[in-house]
Amino acid sequence: MLGIKNQGTGTLRVMELFAGVGGFRQGLEQVRTPAQQAAFKVVWANQYEPASKKQWAAEVYRARWGVQDLVNEDIFEVLQEPALMASLDALCPDVLVGGFPCQDYSVAKPLSHSQGLQGDKGVMWWAVSRMLQARRAAGAPLKYLVLENVDRLLSSPAT
């Protein structure tokens, strides 16, 4: 289970950034503790594609899991909205998962064309960083961070 130990404290509450159609959620919500209770529960998700008028991934996510915990807004705007952040605080998340857009880090591009943290999609890393800082500032730092494994993430060619 990715080295994450629930330590008998019940179900870990998950917030999902760049949720797409819910791949992380699909996997996490299948995991059971030895007592057969859910090990993870997604309590908040964000999916927004700024370049698209039609939010296809968000529509698929809603069709699968409903609308109660999906925020389909630009994550940087969410991070600036006190009411949305307060509602997130009330959910007491333990875990942040994210499959953020990786085109600017991908090894599918030659290194000379990779834009890393400065690319149009690469800047999404800063949303993860800001969310972690916001949780710490709220006095409730996240216990775990699980990100999609993307080559060049830790060695971004553009800084």
Side-chain angles (χ1 to χ4, degrees):
M1 192 168 79
L2 304 172
I4 297 175
K5 294 183 181 175
N6 199 324
Q7 300 175 352
T9 59
T11 302
L12 291 171
R13 301 169 63 76
V14 178
M15 52 191 254
E16 189 176 22
L17 294 183
F18 323 113
V21 299
F24 268 111
R25 184 174 189 160
Q26 179 70 30
L28 289 173
E29 291 191 348
Q30 300 298 313
V31 179
R32 299 282 175 240
T33 67
Q36 293 303 311
Q37 75 181 83
F40 300 95
K41 176 172 179 30
V42 174
V43 296
W44 188 90
N46 177 264
Q47 171 54 40
Y48 180 74
E49 179 57 51
S52 299
K53 288 183 181 180
K54 191 74 170 166
Q55 297 290 311
W56 294 109
E59 286 191 21
V60 170
Y61 195 101
R62 280 189 188 114
R64 175 67 174 91
W65 286 285
V67 297
Q68 69 277 4
D69 53 18
L70 178 66
V71 175
N72 182 221
E73 296 178 33
D74 183 314
I75 188 60
F76 291 107
E77 291 178 18
V78 170
L79 287 163
Q80 297 301 316
E81 177 57 47
L84 286 173
M85 293 305 290
S87 68
L88 183 57
D89 289 345
L91 296 171
C92 304
D94 301 301
V95 182
L96 172 96
V97 300
F100 63 94
C102 60
Q103 292 89 335
D104 291 318
Y105 306 101
S106 176
V107 295
K109 289 183 179 182
L111 188 57
S112 61
H113 290 91
S114 182
Q115 296 179 10
L117 295 174
Q118 296 175 356
D120 291 340
K121 304 272 186 172
V123 297
M124 294 301 183
W125 157 252
W126 297 111
V128 173
S129 176
R130 288 181 189 159
M131 185 62 80
L132 294 171
Q133 291 170 4
R135 298 303 311 141
R136 188 177 323 147
L142 294 164
K143 296 175 185 173
Y144 303 103
L145 171 66
V146 180
L147 298 175
E148 177 182 2
N149 182 20
V150 178
D151 285 338
R152 293 189 189 153
L153 176 60
L154 296 178
S155 60
S156 175
T159 56

